[in-house]
Amino acid sequence: MTGIDTFLAHQPADDWTLLALLVLFLVSCLLFGPLREQLRTSLIYVYRIRNSNAEFKTVKLSPFQAFSSAVVSVMSISFASALTGAIPEKAGTHVLLTALHASVYILPCYLLRQLLLMAVNARMYASGKISVEPQRWNALNLTMLSFMGIVSLIVCLAELFVPLPSAVYVILLLFFVLVCLYGEIVKAKSALFSDQCRIFGIFLYLCALEIGPLVPVLFLMGTNILFL
């Protein structure tokens, strides 16, 4: 048996895991496929270094599309976290249950972050401290979450079918998380705030609203309160 035959004969995961990943992949294609040009344009405006002014574009979504995008993206990130072992779990626990546990961490973190952003941004926009409407900034956050969901799905596929150490995929997943945070930080500095807010105020804003929601998640992970 050749090396290729051995690789093809090896089942990368059980049937339920492959079925769940297939369904998630198809739903992502149906949801994000028609939006690929909008996503590409938005990412260009976020990461293009020369475009350091207040101009940026976001994906235009209906309320149902926005809800679906958030759910699918969170599930993709949870699935990638479970497959790569980024979320610790008891030995012998099924991947799907691990993904469910991961979503218990990721979804509240995202919801808390969005609630804080909506409340604080609305108040700061009314007082003239920020120069971007809260709805546009929320749309940018959802765009970055969608991007993270897409790359997480790619990491899932690579982890299943490309035999590399799990640590490689954990590092890759964390790298994409940092890339998304970097994009939002860059736009917070160049687009969100007007000249009325100093650098220290921007730093406090980022710590409280961009990084702060991660603290309870890390606490829950460290204490294993939510593990069964």
mmCIF file of all heavy atoms in Angstrom, residues 115-164:
data_model
loop_
_atom_site.group_PDB
_atom_site.id
_atom_site.type_symbol
_atom_site.label_atom_id
_atom_site.label_comp_id
_atom_site.label_asym_id
_atom_site.label_seq_id
_atom_site.Cartn_x
_atom_site.Cartn_y
_atom_site.Cartn_z
ATOM 1 N N LEU A 115 -22.789 43.893 23.380
ATOM 2 C CA LEU A 115 -23.633 44.710 24.252
ATOM 3 C C LEU A 115 -22.859 45.905 24.790
ATOM 4 O O LEU A 115 -23.376 47.033 24.840
ATOM 5 C CB LEU A 115 -24.176 43.857 25.397
ATOM 6 C CG LEU A 115 -25.249 42.828 25.025
ATOM 7 C CD1 LEU A 115 -25.586 41.952 26.230
ATOM 8 C CD2 LEU A 115 -26.508 43.516 24.508
ATOM 9 N N LEU A 116 -21.623 45.674 25.211
ATOM 10 C CA LEU A 116 -20.791 46.776 25.702
ATOM 11 C C LEU A 116 -20.524 47.799 24.596
ATOM 12 O O LEU A 116 -20.599 49.012 24.816
ATOM 13 C CB LEU A 116 -19.474 46.235 26.245
ATOM 14 C CG LEU A 116 -19.535 45.469 27.564
ATOM 15 C CD1 LEU A 116 -18.181 44.850 27.882
ATOM 16 C CD2 LEU A 116 -19.973 46.377 28.703
ATOM 17 N N LEU A 117 -20.213 47.289 23.402
ATOM 18 C CA LEU A 117 -19.935 48.193 22.292
ATOM 19 C C LEU A 117 -21.151 49.042 21.946
ATOM 20 O O LEU A 117 -21.034 50.252 21.726
ATOM 21 C CB LEU A 117 -19.495 47.388 21.070
ATOM 22 C CG LEU A 117 -18.062 46.837 21.086
ATOM 23 C CD1 LEU A 117 -17.848 45.907 19.899
ATOM 24 C CD2 LEU A 117 -17.059 47.968 21.052
ATOM 25 N N MET A 118 -22.325 48.426 21.883
ATOM 26 C CA MET A 118 -23.533 49.175 21.520
ATOM 27 C C MET A 118 -23.853 50.239 22.557
ATOM 28 O O MET A 118 -24.193 51.377 22.212
ATOM 29 C CB MET A 118 -24.712 48.212 21.341
ATOM 30 C CG MET A 118 -24.636 47.390 20.061
ATOM 31 S SD MET A 118 -26.142 46.436 19.732
ATOM 32 C CE MET A 118 -26.088 45.247 21.063
ATOM 33 N N ALA A 119 -23.740 49.881 23.835
ATOM 34 C CA ALA A 119 -24.072 50.838 24.896
ATOM 35 C C ALA A 119 -23.059 51.980 24.957
ATOM 36 O O ALA A 119 -23.437 53.161 24.993
ATOM 37 C CB ALA A 119 -24.141 50.111 26.234
ATOM 38 N N VAL A 120 -21.772 51.636 24.958
ATOM 39 C CA VAL A 120 -20.734 52.656 25.105
ATOM 40 C C VAL A 120 -20.614 53.510 23.849
ATOM 41 O O VAL A 120 -20.497 54.741 23.923
ATOM 42 C CB VAL A 120 -19.389 51.993 25.454
ATOM 43 C CG1 VAL A 120 -18.272 53.032 25.475
ATOM 44 C CG2 VAL A 120 -19.480 51.296 26.800
ATOM 45 N N ASN A 121 -20.655 52.879 22.670
ATOM 46 C CA ASN A 121 -20.511 53.639 21.427
ATOM 47 C C ASN A 121 -21.663 54.612 21.205
ATOM 48 O O ASN A 121 -21.465 55.714 20.694
ATOM 49 C CB ASN A 121 -20.403 52.692 20.232
ATOM 50 C CG ASN A 121 -19.034 52.041 20.154
ATOM 51 O OD1 ASN A 121 -18.143 52.371 20.916
ATOM 52 N ND2 ASN A 121 -18.874 51.111 19.238
ATOM 53 N N ALA A 122 -22.881 54.195 21.569
ATOM 54 C CA ALA A 122 -24.025 55.092 21.418
ATOM 55 C C ALA A 122 -23.847 56.338 22.285
ATOM 56 O O ALA A 122 -24.125 57.466 21.837
ATOM 57 C CB ALA A 122 -25.316 54.360 21.783
ATOM 58 N N ARG A 123 -23.360 56.144 23.495
ATOM 59 C CA ARG A 123 -23.157 57.280 24.396
ATOM 60 C C ARG A 123 -22.003 58.163 23.910
ATOM 61 O O ARG A 123 -22.098 59.403 23.933
ATOM 62 C CB ARG A 123 -22.877 56.765 25.813
ATOM 63 C CG ARG A 123 -22.797 57.863 26.861
ATOM 64 C CD ARG A 123 -22.623 57.284 28.247
ATOM 65 N NE ARG A 123 -22.596 58.310 29.261
ATOM 66 C CZ ARG A 123 -23.652 58.838 29.840
ATOM 67 N NH1 ARG A 123 -24.859 58.432 29.478
ATOM 68 N NH2 ARG A 123 -23.544 59.764 30.761
ATOM 69 N N MET A 124 -20.916 57.539 23.463
ATOM 70 C CA MET A 124 -19.758 58.319 23.014
ATOM 71 C C MET A 124 -20.049 59.036 21.700
ATOM 72 O O MET A 124 -19.556 60.141 21.476
ATOM 73 C CB MET A 124 -18.545 57.396 22.861
ATOM 74 C CG MET A 124 -18.039 56.804 24.157
ATOM 75 S SD MET A 124 -16.574 55.756 23.944
ATOM 76 C CE MET A 124 -15.339 56.997 23.564
ATOM 77 N N TYR A 125 -20.845 58.426 20.832
ATOM 78 C CA TYR A 125 -21.193 59.091 19.577
ATOM 79 C C TYR A 125 -22.087 60.300 19.838
ATOM 80 O O TYR A 125 -21.946 61.349 19.193
ATOM 81 C CB TYR A 125 -21.897 58.103 18.656
ATOM 82 C CG TYR A 125 -22.263 58.680 17.308
ATOM 83 C CD1 TYR A 125 -21.293 58.884 16.334
ATOM 84 C CD2 TYR A 125 -23.584 59.022 17.015
ATOM 85 C CE1 TYR A 125 -21.620 59.418 15.094
ATOM 86 C CE2 TYR A 125 -23.922 59.556 15.779
ATOM 87 C CZ TYR A 125 -22.943 59.747 14.824
ATOM 88 O OH TYR A 125 -23.280 60.274 13.598
ATOM 89 N N ALA A 126 -23.011 60.169 20.803
ATOM 90 C CA ALA A 126 -23.890 61.286 21.136
ATOM 91 C C ALA A 126 -23.105 62.451 21.729
ATOM 92 O O ALA A 126 -23.467 63.618 21.528
ATOM 93 C CB ALA A 126 -24.969 60.815 22.115
ATOM 94 N N SER A 127 -22.014 62.148 22.439
ATOM 95 C CA SER A 127 -21.210 63.214 23.051
ATOM 96 C C SER A 127 -20.095 63.701 22.128
ATOM 97 O O SER A 127 -19.337 64.586 22.514
ATOM 98 C CB SER A 127 -20.604 62.717 24.371
ATOM 99 O OG SER A 127 -19.735 61.629 24.143
ATOM 100 N N GLY A 128 -19.978 63.136 20.925
ATOM 101 C CA GLY A 128 -18.978 63.573 19.975
ATOM 102 C C GLY A 128 -17.588 63.005 20.194
ATOM 103 O O GLY A 128 -16.628 63.464 19.577
ATOM 104 N N LYS A 129 -17.462 61.966 21.050
ATOM 105 C CA LYS A 129 -16.138 61.381 21.307
ATOM 106 C C LYS A 129 -15.702 60.447 20.186
ATOM 107 O O LYS A 129 -14.500 60.213 20.009
ATOM 108 C CB LYS A 129 -16.157 60.625 22.636
ATOM 109 C CG LYS A 129 -16.366 61.511 23.854
ATOM 110 C CD LYS A 129 -15.166 62.427 24.052
ATOM 111 C CE LYS A 129 -15.341 63.301 25.284
ATOM 112 N NZ LYS A 129 -15.436 62.497 26.504
ATOM 113 N N ILE A 130 -16.642 59.855 19.473
ATOM 114 C CA ILE A 130 -16.306 59.015 18.337
ATOM 115 C C ILE A 130 -17.014 59.568 17.108
ATOM 116 O O ILE A 130 -18.060 60.220 17.215
ATOM 117 C CB ILE A 130 -16.692 57.534 18.551
ATOM 118 C CG1 ILE A 130 -18.188 57.381 18.798
ATOM 119 C CG2 ILE A 130 -15.897 56.940 19.698
ATOM 120 C CD1 ILE A 130 -18.639 55.939 18.932
ATOM 121 N N SER A 131 -16.423 59.293 15.944
ATOM 122 C CA SER A 131 -16.914 59.911 14.715
ATOM 123 C C SER A 131 -17.617 58.944 13.772
ATOM 124 O O SER A 131 -17.965 59.321 12.665
ATOM 125 C CB SER A 131 -15.735 60.565 13.969
ATOM 126 O OG SER A 131 -14.719 59.612 13.728
ATOM 127 N N VAL A 132 -17.809 57.712 14.187
ATOM 128 C CA VAL A 132 -18.475 56.701 13.349
ATOM 129 C C VAL A 132 -19.766 56.281 14.038
ATOM 130 O O VAL A 132 -19.772 56.023 15.249
ATOM 131 C CB VAL A 132 -17.560 55.475 13.132
ATOM 132 C CG1 VAL A 132 -18.291 54.401 12.332
ATOM 133 C CG2 VAL A 132 -16.292 55.883 12.410
ATOM 134 N N GLU A 133 -20.842 56.190 13.279
ATOM 135 C CA GLU A 133 -22.112 55.766 13.842
ATOM 136 C C GLU A 133 -21.981 54.362 14.430
ATOM 137 O O GLU A 133 -21.324 53.492 13.842
ATOM 138 C CB GLU A 133 -23.200 55.775 12.776
ATOM 139 C CG GLU A 133 -23.526 57.163 12.254
ATOM 140 C CD GLU A 133 -24.628 57.119 11.218
ATOM 141 O OE1 GLU A 133 -25.083 56.005 10.893
ATOM 142 O OE2 GLU A 133 -25.018 58.193 10.738
ATOM 143 N N PRO A 134 -22.591 54.110 15.598
ATOM 144 C CA PRO A 134 -22.477 52.788 16.230
ATOM 145 C C PRO A 134 -22.919 51.645 15.323
ATOM 146 O O PRO A 134 -22.338 50.561 15.371
ATOM 147 C CB PRO A 134 -23.388 52.913 17.458
ATOM 148 C CG PRO A 134 -23.397 54.375 17.770
ATOM 149 C CD PRO A 134 -23.317 55.068 16.451
ATOM 150 N N GLN A 135 -23.942 51.885 14.473
ATOM 151 C CA GLN A 135 -24.409 50.822 13.592
ATOM 152 C C GLN A 135 -23.325 50.408 12.603
ATOM 153 O O GLN A 135 -23.152 49.222 12.300
ATOM 154 C CB GLN A 135 -25.660 51.274 12.827
ATOM 155 C CG GLN A 135 -26.892 51.483 13.688
ATOM 156 C CD GLN A 135 -26.892 52.827 14.398
ATOM 157 O OE1 GLN A 135 -25.979 53.636 14.224
ATOM 158 N NE2 GLN A 135 -27.922 53.066 15.189
ATOM 159 N N ARG A 136 -22.564 51.389 12.097
ATOM 160 C CA ARG A 136 -21.489 51.073 11.151
ATOM 161 C C ARG A 136 -20.362 50.322 11.840
ATOM 162 O O ARG A 136 -19.770 49.399 11.274
ATOM 163 C CB ARG A 136 -20.948 52.349 10.516
ATOM 164 C CG ARG A 136 -21.895 53.029 9.539
ATOM 165 C CD ARG A 136 -21.135 54.048 8.717
ATOM 166 N NE ARG A 136 -20.165 53.395 7.838
ATOM 167 C CZ ARG A 136 -19.029 53.964 7.431
ATOM 168 N NH1 ARG A 136 -18.697 55.163 7.848
ATOM 169 N NH2 ARG A 136 -18.211 53.314 6.620
ATOM 170 N N TRP A 137 -20.050 50.708 13.072
ATOM 171 C CA TRP A 137 -18.984 50.024 13.789
ATOM 172 C C TRP A 137 -19.398 48.599 14.143
ATOM 173 O O TRP A 137 -18.586 47.670 14.078
ATOM 174 C CB TRP A 137 -18.613 50.799 15.043
ATOM 175 C CG TRP A 137 -17.364 50.288 15.692
ATOM 176 C CD1 TRP A 137 -17.255 49.607 16.865
ATOM 177 C CD2 TRP A 137 -16.028 50.389 15.174
ATOM 178 N NE1 TRP A 137 -15.954 49.284 17.124
ATOM 179 C CE2 TRP A 137 -15.179 49.747 16.098
ATOM 180 C CE3 TRP A 137 -15.487 50.955 14.022
ATOM 181 C CZ2 TRP A 137 -13.809 49.662 15.909
ATOM 182 C CZ3 TRP A 137 -14.118 50.859 13.832
ATOM 183 C CH2 TRP A 137 -13.297 50.222 14.769
ATOM 184 N N ASN A 138 -20.659 48.401 14.517
ATOM 185 C CA ASN A 138 -21.154 47.051 14.776
ATOM 186 C C ASN A 138 -21.089 46.202 13.515
ATOM 187 O O ASN A 138 -20.785 45.003 13.567
ATOM 188 C CB ASN A 138 -22.589 47.101 15.300
ATOM 189 C CG ASN A 138 -22.688 47.727 16.673
ATOM 190 O OD1 ASN A 138 -21.714 47.749 17.430
ATOM 191 N ND2 ASN A 138 -23.854 48.249 17.012
ATOM 192 N N ALA A 139 -21.379 46.827 12.364
ATOM 193 C CA ALA A 139 -21.301 46.102 11.102
ATOM 194 C C ALA A 139 -19.860 45.687 10.796
ATOM 195 O O ALA A 139 -19.613 44.593 10.271
ATOM 196 C CB ALA A 139 -21.855 46.956 9.964
ATOM 197 N N LEU A 140 -18.898 46.546 11.140
ATOM 198 C CA LEU A 140 -17.495 46.189 10.936
ATOM 199 C C LEU A 140 -17.101 45.026 11.828
ATOM 200 O O LEU A 140 -16.400 44.097 11.390
ATOM 201 C CB LEU A 140 -16.597 47.392 11.217
ATOM 202 C CG LEU A 140 -15.091 47.136 11.090
ATOM 203 C CD1 LEU A 140 -14.729 46.769 9.657
ATOM 204 C CD2 LEU A 140 -14.286 48.345 11.542
ATOM 205 N N ASN A 141 -17.556 45.025 13.073
ATOM 206 C CA ASN A 141 -17.261 43.916 13.978
ATOM 207 C C ASN A 141 -17.846 42.608 13.458
ATOM 208 O O ASN A 141 -17.215 41.551 13.545
ATOM 209 C CB ASN A 141 -17.822 44.210 15.376
ATOM 210 C CG ASN A 141 -17.032 45.281 16.096
ATOM 211 O OD1 ASN A 141 -15.823 45.394 15.920
ATOM 212 N ND2 ASN A 141 -17.698 46.081 16.899
ATOM 213 N N LEU A 142 -19.058 42.666 12.919
ATOM 214 C CA LEU A 142 -19.680 41.468 12.357
ATOM 215 C C LEU A 142 -18.925 40.998 11.114
ATOM 216 O O LEU A 142 -18.783 39.793 10.876
ATOM 217 C CB LEU A 142 -21.142 41.746 12.016
ATOM 218 C CG LEU A 142 -21.953 40.553 11.494
ATOM 219 C CD1 LEU A 142 -21.918 39.398 12.483
ATOM 220 C CD2 LEU A 142 -23.385 40.964 11.203
ATOM 221 N N THR A 143 -18.423 41.945 10.324
ATOM 222 C CA THR A 143 -17.621 41.589 9.159
ATOM 223 C C THR A 143 -16.362 40.852 9.580
ATOM 224 O O THR A 143 -15.991 39.826 8.978
ATOM 225 C CB THR A 143 -17.244 42.850 8.361
ATOM 226 O OG1 THR A 143 -18.439 43.508 7.916
ATOM 227 C CG2 THR A 143 -16.393 42.495 7.160
ATOM 228 N N MET A 144 -15.689 41.336 10.616
ATOM 229 C CA MET A 144 -14.474 40.683 11.090
ATOM 230 C C MET A 144 -14.792 39.319 11.704
ATOM 231 O O MET A 144 -14.005 38.370 11.557
ATOM 232 C CB MET A 144 -13.765 41.574 12.114
ATOM 233 C CG MET A 144 -13.348 42.946 11.584
ATOM 234 S SD MET A 144 -12.379 42.865 10.061
ATOM 235 C CE MET A 144 -10.933 41.992 10.627
ATOM 236 N N LEU A 145 -15.936 39.197 12.373
ATOM 237 C CA LEU A 145 -16.341 37.896 12.911
ATOM 238 C C LEU A 145 -16.595 36.912 11.774
ATOM 239 O O LEU A 145 -16.220 35.730 11.867
ATOM 240 C CB LEU A 145 -17.592 38.049 13.777
ATOM 241 C CG LEU A 145 -18.137 36.744 14.373
ATOM 242 C CD1 LEU A 145 -17.179 36.187 15.421
ATOM 243 C CD2 LEU A 145 -19.520 36.965 14.981
ATOM 244 N N SER A 146 -17.218 37.379 10.692
ATOM 245 C CA SER A 146 -17.469 36.517 9.539
ATOM 246 C C SER A 146 -16.157 36.047 8.923
ATOM 247 O O SER A 146 -16.017 34.879 8.538
ATOM 248 C CB SER A 146 -18.308 37.269 8.499
ATOM 249 O OG SER A 146 -19.555 37.662 9.034
ATOM 250 N N PHE A 147 -15.191 36.961 8.831
ATOM 251 C CA PHE A 147 -13.876 36.595 8.313
ATOM 252 C C PHE A 147 -13.225 35.544 9.201
ATOM 253 O O PHE A 147 -12.656 34.554 8.710
ATOM 254 C CB PHE A 147 -13.002 37.846 8.223
ATOM 255 C CG PHE A 147 -11.556 37.569 7.920
ATOM 256 C CD1 PHE A 147 -11.186 36.977 6.726
ATOM 257 C CD2 PHE A 147 -10.567 37.896 8.835
ATOM 258 C CE1 PHE A 147 -9.841 36.711 6.446
ATOM 259 C CE2 PHE A 147 -9.233 37.640 8.555
ATOM 260 C CZ PHE A 147 -8.876 37.043 7.361
ATOM 261 N N MET A 148 -13.331 35.711 10.516
ATOM 262 C CA MET A 148 -12.763 34.739 11.434
ATOM 263 C C MET A 148 -13.458 33.392 11.301
ATOM 264 O O MET A 148 -12.830 32.334 11.403
ATOM 265 C CB MET A 148 -12.882 35.268 12.869
ATOM 266 C CG MET A 148 -12.185 34.404 13.909
ATOM 267 S SD MET A 148 -10.402 34.309 13.636
ATOM 268 C CE MET A 148 -10.020 32.765 14.451
ATOM 269 N N GLY A 149 -14.776 33.409 11.071
ATOM 270 C CA GLY A 149 -15.497 32.157 10.880
ATOM 271 C C GLY A 149 -15.052 31.422 9.635
ATOM 272 O O GLY A 149 -14.908 30.191 9.637
ATOM 273 N N ILE A 150 -14.800 32.150 8.557
ATOM 274 C CA ILE A 150 -14.369 31.532 7.302
ATOM 275 C C ILE A 150 -12.986 30.896 7.459
ATOM 276 O O ILE A 150 -12.768 29.742 7.063
ATOM 277 C CB ILE A 150 -14.378 32.571 6.172
ATOM 278 C CG1 ILE A 150 -15.814 33.005 5.861
ATOM 279 C CG2 ILE A 150 -13.715 32.001 4.912
ATOM 280 C CD1 ILE A 150 -15.916 34.160 4.900
ATOM 281 N N VAL A 151 -12.045 31.640 8.026
ATOM 282 C CA VAL A 151 -10.699 31.080 8.178
ATOM 283 C C VAL A 151 -10.694 29.939 9.196
ATOM 284 O O VAL A 151 -9.895 28.997 9.073
ATOM 285 C CB VAL A 151 -9.686 32.180 8.571
ATOM 286 C CG1 VAL A 151 -9.547 33.195 7.456
ATOM 287 C CG2 VAL A 151 -10.052 32.853 9.877
ATOM 288 N N SER A 152 -11.588 29.977 10.184
ATOM 289 C CA SER A 152 -11.687 28.872 11.145
ATOM 290 C C SER A 152 -12.155 27.603 10.454
ATOM 291 O O SER A 152 -11.685 26.498 10.761
ATOM 292 C CB SER A 152 -12.645 29.235 12.276
ATOM 293 O OG SER A 152 -12.163 30.314 13.041
ATOM 294 N N LEU A 153 -13.074 27.753 9.518
ATOM 295 C CA LEU A 153 -13.543 26.599 8.763
ATOM 296 C C LEU A 153 -12.421 26.016 7.908
ATOM 297 O O LEU A 153 -12.299 24.790 7.766
ATOM 298 C CB LEU A 153 -14.725 27.009 7.881
ATOM 299 C CG LEU A 153 -15.620 25.884 7.338
ATOM 300 C CD1 LEU A 153 -16.171 25.040 8.463
ATOM 301 C CD2 LEU A 153 -16.742 26.467 6.505
ATOM 302 N N ILE A 154 -11.596 26.888 7.345
ATOM 303 C CA ILE A 154 -10.436 26.420 6.581
ATOM 304 C C ILE A 154 -9.464 25.659 7.483
ATOM 305 O O ILE A 154 -8.921 24.615 7.115
ATOM 306 C CB ILE A 154 -9.735 27.611 5.905
ATOM 307 C CG1 ILE A 154 -10.663 28.241 4.867
ATOM 308 C CG2 ILE A 154 -8.425 27.177 5.249
ATOM 309 C CD1 ILE A 154 -10.120 29.518 4.253
ATOM 310 N N VAL A 155 -9.262 26.164 8.704
ATOM 311 C CA VAL A 155 -8.403 25.475 9.667
ATOM 312 C C VAL A 155 -8.981 24.107 10.011
ATOM 313 O O VAL A 155 -8.238 23.122 10.141
ATOM 314 C CB VAL A 155 -8.216 26.337 10.930
ATOM 315 C CG1 VAL A 155 -7.502 25.548 12.026
ATOM 316 C CG2 VAL A 155 -7.422 27.593 10.610
ATOM 317 N N CYS A 156 -10.310 24.028 10.152
ATOM 318 C CA CYS A 156 -10.961 22.738 10.425
ATOM 319 C C CYS A 156 -10.657 21.726 9.329
ATOM 320 O O CYS A 156 -10.275 20.582 9.601
ATOM 321 C CB CYS A 156 -12.474 22.929 10.533
ATOM 322 S SG CYS A 156 -13.049 23.679 12.044
ATOM 323 N N LEU A 157 -10.838 22.126 8.094
ATOM 324 C CA LEU A 157 -10.592 21.229 6.965
ATOM 325 C C LEU A 157 -9.130 20.806 6.906
ATOM 326 O O LEU A 157 -8.813 19.637 6.657
ATOM 327 C CB LEU A 157 -11.001 21.915 5.660
ATOM 328 C CG LEU A 157 -12.501 22.212 5.501
ATOM 329 C CD1 LEU A 157 -12.757 23.064 4.258
ATOM 330 C CD2 LEU A 157 -13.299 20.916 5.433
ATOM 331 N N ALA A 158 -8.227 21.762 7.138
ATOM 332 C CA ALA A 158 -6.801 21.437 7.111
ATOM 333 C C ALA A 158 -6.444 20.483 8.244
ATOM 334 O O ALA A 158 -5.670 19.528 8.047
ATOM 335 C CB ALA A 158 -5.979 22.720 7.212
ATOM 336 N N GLU A 159 -7.013 20.695 9.420
ATOM 337 C CA GLU A 159 -6.686 19.857 10.567
ATOM 338 C C GLU A 159 -7.157 18.414 10.354
ATOM 339 O O GLU A 159 -6.499 17.468 10.804
ATOM 340 C CB GLU A 159 -7.333 20.440 11.823
ATOM 341 C CG GLU A 159 -6.656 20.050 13.125
ATOM 342 C CD GLU A 159 -7.055 18.662 13.599
ATOM 343 O OE1 GLU A 159 -8.128 18.172 13.196
ATOM 344 O OE2 GLU A 159 -6.301 18.054 14.386
ATOM 345 N N LEU A 160 -8.279 18.250 9.657
ATOM 346 C CA LEU A 160 -8.810 16.913 9.421
ATOM 347 C C LEU A 160 -8.030 16.156 8.347
ATOM 348 O O LEU A 160 -7.824 14.950 8.459
ATOM 349 C CB LEU A 160 -10.281 16.995 9.021
ATOM 350 C CG LEU A 160 -11.287 17.277 10.137
ATOM 351 C CD1 LEU A 160 -12.685 17.389 9.570
ATOM 352 C CD2 LEU A 160 -11.248 16.187 11.204
ATOM 353 N N PHE A 161 -7.619 16.861 7.306
ATOM 354 C CA PHE A 161 -7.089 16.170 6.137
ATOM 355 C C PHE A 161 -5.594 16.371 5.896
ATOM 356 O O PHE A 161 -5.027 15.728 5.021
ATOM 357 C CB PHE A 161 -7.864 16.614 4.889
ATOM 358 C CG PHE A 161 -9.326 16.257 4.953
ATOM 359 C CD1 PHE A 161 -10.277 17.219 5.213
ATOM 360 C CD2 PHE A 161 -9.740 14.952 4.770
ATOM 361 C CE1 PHE A 161 -11.625 16.902 5.282
ATOM 362 C CE2 PHE A 161 -11.079 14.610 4.837
ATOM 363 C CZ PHE A 161 -12.031 15.577 5.095
ATOM 364 N N VAL A 162 -4.948 17.259 6.645
ATOM 365 C CA VAL A 162 -3.503 17.455 6.520
ATOM 366 C C VAL A 162 -2.866 17.061 7.852
ATOM 367 O O VAL A 162 -3.044 17.762 8.851
ATOM 368 C CB VAL A 162 -3.156 18.918 6.166
ATOM 369 C CG1 VAL A 162 -1.648 19.082 6.025
ATOM 370 C CG2 VAL A 162 -3.864 19.338 4.884
ATOM 371 N N PRO A 163 -2.155 15.937 7.897
ATOM 372 C CA PRO A 163 -1.633 15.418 9.175
ATOM 373 C C PRO A 163 -0.443 16.217 9.692
ATOM 374 O O PRO A 163 0.713 15.907 9.420
ATOM 375 C CB PRO A 163 -1.228 13.984 8.809
ATOM 376 C CG PRO A 163 -0.908 14.032 7.355
ATOM 377 C CD PRO A 163 -1.839 15.051 6.762
ATOM 378 N N LEU A 164 -0.736 17.260 10.434
ATOM 379 C CA LEU A 164 0.289 18.060 11.096
ATOM 380 C C LEU A 164 0.015 18.061 12.593
ATOM 381 O O LEU A 164 -1.126 17.794 13.020
ATOM 382 C CB LEU A 164 0.288 19.494 10.552
ATOM 383 C CG LEU A 164 0.743 19.690 9.097
ATOM 384 C CD1 LEU A 164 0.584 21.153 8.697
ATOM 385 C CD2 LEU A 164 2.171 19.234 8.896
#
